[in-house]
Amino acid sequence: MALSVALVAGCATSQGSPAPPTKVDEPEHDAALAPFYRQTVNWQPCEALQCAKLTVPMDYRRPDGPKFTVPLIKAAATRPGGRLGTLVAGAGGPGQSGVAMVKDIAGTWPASVRERFDLVGFDPRGIGGSEPRLTCETEGEPTEKAPEGLPLIGAEVPRTRQYAEACLRDTGREVLPHLGTDDIVSDLDVLRVATGQEKLTYVGFSYGTRIGQLYAERFPKKIRAMVLDGVDNTYLDWRNDTVEQAKSVEETLHAYAKQCATRTDKPCPGRDETEILATVDRVLAKADKEGDGASLREAISGKLTFPADWAELSGILLGADAPADGRSDGEPSDAPEESTDTTDALTVVNCLDRPHPADLAPYEEAARELRRVSRLSSGIEALGCAFLPTATTPARTVHADGAPPILLVGTTRDAATPYDWAQHLAGSLRSAVLLSNEDIGHAVYGGTSSCVDAAVSRYLVDLTLPATPARCATGTGG
């Protein structure tokens, strides 16, 4: 969920994403959906794990129509005799592969959980190995002229519209509107039943927490245990979602400037916070003059989220601040960048999930606000939504009435999913317990904090929640 998620985006179409299905407690009893819920998951060896595919309707209102195939992966419980069941892990993004994530975490998650659960991951529809896939490939430069009267976003409008048409053409005009989170929630319920779970055990990270929240809202009685780590939001509109994240990125930049020396033990681009921020301002001004400001902002933002990356961030800033040596590395390239699942889905899914305007004037206004709240914002972060199908339901607050206790993990200085989002969900989600990790970082369960690992693992295995107010003093907290 980098700040620069919408540097390119959009699909010009009037067709919106479908509204979420009416809340139904047990759609597996719907005769039209029964073949999907009753399908056999045919697990086959793949490397040291097991792989399979799940078939789901493209449109749950027309289950007899086109289908998606969704890749699955399973890391079997390491102590089969004490197995409690299946645990589904939801990856971040939007756009990250849950199959790749499980390959990474299967050997690093706490033993107490790995012993007791089969760990299952999935690539959300349109992502990774799923078919059909979201694809957005542009060729050449756009021929459209930049519109006048939009000084902050106008130059990006032609490229955005060109990219949008590529998304629509390459993915399919009937496919793309069905890539939103509401459809992924329906897929998750099919996965629950197909993997033999009467009630779902789920751990979601970052965007995976958005999937989890909306699952809890629609299927509150189908949950055994749910952990949402790095809490995303469902309640902010398109503009405030981007602005609040920009504010959090700026706050994390200040934390980096304060703590660079103690956190990295490497050369920093200044002796104290004032000098480091002055360096940031200086290199951004230089990059803007050379036409590469957006790329540098993206590079800085991408290294802010995790203190483990701060030494690399210092290197980026020191290199950008070095005297010019005659090379043209900083010049913008004429060649179009190759799109990736993560970049494409980050834009498409986020915009499918929230209503947004088709007129460009609100995006110009948002750009002014974004520049005001963060020096790392170029102002065009939300522009991609201008040409994408819009959600047909408004942003919503999750209550999940009837759900069992759900454990939230919020890190107090989180550039990707601000801590305020976890606090808001703790206030609206009636059964939520918030575990506050007083540190800098994002989505920490599984090796970053022994305190968080112990509390989350105990809840997953025994359904024992930490005493409130729950906190882990992992670091300095920024």
Side-chain angles (χ1 to χ4, degrees), residues 28 37-39 188-198:
E28 64 264 40
Y37 278 94
R38 294 174 183 170
Q39 67 186 289
L188 178 58
D189 198 54
V190 172
L191 176 61
R192 172 185 65 83
V193 175
T195 52
Q197 300 178 77
E198 180 180 354

Side-chain angles (χ1 to χ4, degrees), residues 356-360 362-363 385-387:
H356 50 266
D359 181 48
L360 291 174
Y363 298 99
C385 287
F387 301 108

Side-chain angles (χ1 to χ4, degrees), residues 415-433:
T417 52
Y419 180 62
D420 286 350
W421 295 356
Q423 291 179 305
H424 184 278
L425 184 60
S428 69
L429 183 57
R430 313 223 193 277
S431 65
V433 171

Side-chain angles (χ1 to χ4, degrees), residues 52-129:
K53 291 185 177 181
L54 189 75
T55 302
V56 293
M58 183 172 293
D59 183 347
Y60 277 83
R61 288 167 180 76
R62 295 192 302 111
D64 57 343
K67 313 292 190 294
F68 275 102
T69 56
V70 175
L72 308 177
I73 194 166
K74 179 171 69 174
T78 59
R79 186 161 64 88
R83 180 181 176 276
L84 288 174
T86 296
L87 186 158
V88 177
Q96 293 180 5
S97 164
V99 170
M101 182 180 73
V102 166
K103 288 180 181 179
D104 289 340
I105 66 178
T108 62
W109 262 25
S112 60
V113 170
R114 287 291 297 111
E115 289 175 351
R116 308 298 296 276
F117 293 96
D118 293 340
L119 177 59
V120 171
F122 65 99
D123 285 354
R125 53 172 58 205
I127 304 305

